[in-house]
Amino acid sequence: LDNSDEIVTLVTQLEACRSIPRPAIAPQIYGKWRLLQTTNADTASPIQRKAVDTTKFDIFQDIVFNDEKQLLVKQIVKFSETNELCVDALASTSAYPLEELTDREGTGEILGLNILGVSLVGEEAVEDPQRPDSRIRFVFDE
């Protein structure tokens, strides 16, 4: 699936299915997920920005709870059987709200350079009222 237009079409069809109501708080999403394809090299995720080529490395997102029962999103890149990079981020959903997570007010640009990656901000970041609990909000502390 090297054709990005085909991938965009398939993703659009998949997102239209809405097979899991309120996916951000559904138990089915917890666990380890492998990234198969991305066209978003400008993501806010530090790992996905550095290693978005899934043909070279296995990239995973693990949605788990820490010892304090807080929701975590772990970004993992496996370089080999014994070497991996893992970055943890506290996450927030309506079921597991994180009070200290505030909405991002800027795009991350400093002097015209975007050092944080592309993120939705302001009205673009507001959750779609027709699809409640469709996003897990998380922040990496770089």
Side-chain angles (χ1 to χ4, degrees), residues 71-137:
L71 190 61
L72 288 178
V73 174
K74 297 171 166 266
Q75 299 280 324
I76 305 162
V77 178
K78 290 197 63 80
F79 298 106
S80 69
E81 283 298 316
T82 57
N83 296 304
E84 70 181 29
L85 172 65
C86 180
V87 178
D88 294 352
L90 286 175
S92 183
T93 66
S94 64
Y96 297 93
L98 188 63
E99 291 180 25
E100 58 268 27
L101 182 64
T102 58
D103 290 333
R104 190 166 170 187
E105 294 179 5
T107 63
E109 287 189 9
I110 298 175
L111 300 174
L113 300 173
N114 193 320
I115 61 168
L116 297 177
V118 174
S119 282
L120 299 176
V121 296
E123 289 183 18
E124 291 179 334
V126 173
E127 190 168 48
D128 180 352
Q130 301 300 314
R131 298 182 64 210
D133 295 311
S134 60
R135 294 176 48 202
I136 295 177
R137 297 173 57 228

Side-chain angles (χ1 to χ4, degrees), residues 1 6 11 13 15 21 24 34 49 53 55 59 61 64 66-67 69-70 81 86-87 107 111 114 128 130-131 139:
L1 292 174
E6 183 178 358
V11 168
Q13 291 172 0
E15 287 176 343
R34 182 172 177 208
R49 277 201 317 267
D53 188 348
T55 62
I59 302 172
Q61 188 170 71
V64 297
N66 66 13
D67 293 337
K69 303 294 183 214
Q70 294 171 305
E81 283 298 316
C86 180
V87 178
T107 63
L111 300 174
N114 193 320
D128 180 352
Q130 301 300 314
R131 298 182 64 210
V139 63

Side-chain angles (χ1 to χ4, degrees), residues 2-68:
D2 292 333
N3 182 336
S4 63
D5 290 338
E6 183 178 358
I7 291 168
V8 169
T9 300
L10 292 171
V11 168
T12 301
Q13 291 172 0
L14 183 61
E15 287 176 343
C17 291
R18 297 186 188 158
S19 61
I20 300 175
R22 302 177 71 196
I25 60 172
Q28 297 97 315
I29 61 101
Y30 302 123
K32 195 175 211 177
W33 296 83
R34 182 172 177 208
L35 178 67
L36 299 177
Q37 176 70 32
T38 185
T39 56
N40 188 5
D42 292 328
T43 177
S45 163
I47 286 187
Q48 287 183 13
R49 277 201 317 267
K50 302 298 183 204
V52 292
D53 188 348
T54 58
T55 62
K56 293 182 181 169
F57 307 110
D58 289 336
I59 302 172
F60 299 92
Q61 188 170 71
D62 200 2
I63 303 169
V64 297
F65 295 94
N66 66 13
D67 293 337
E68 291 82 36

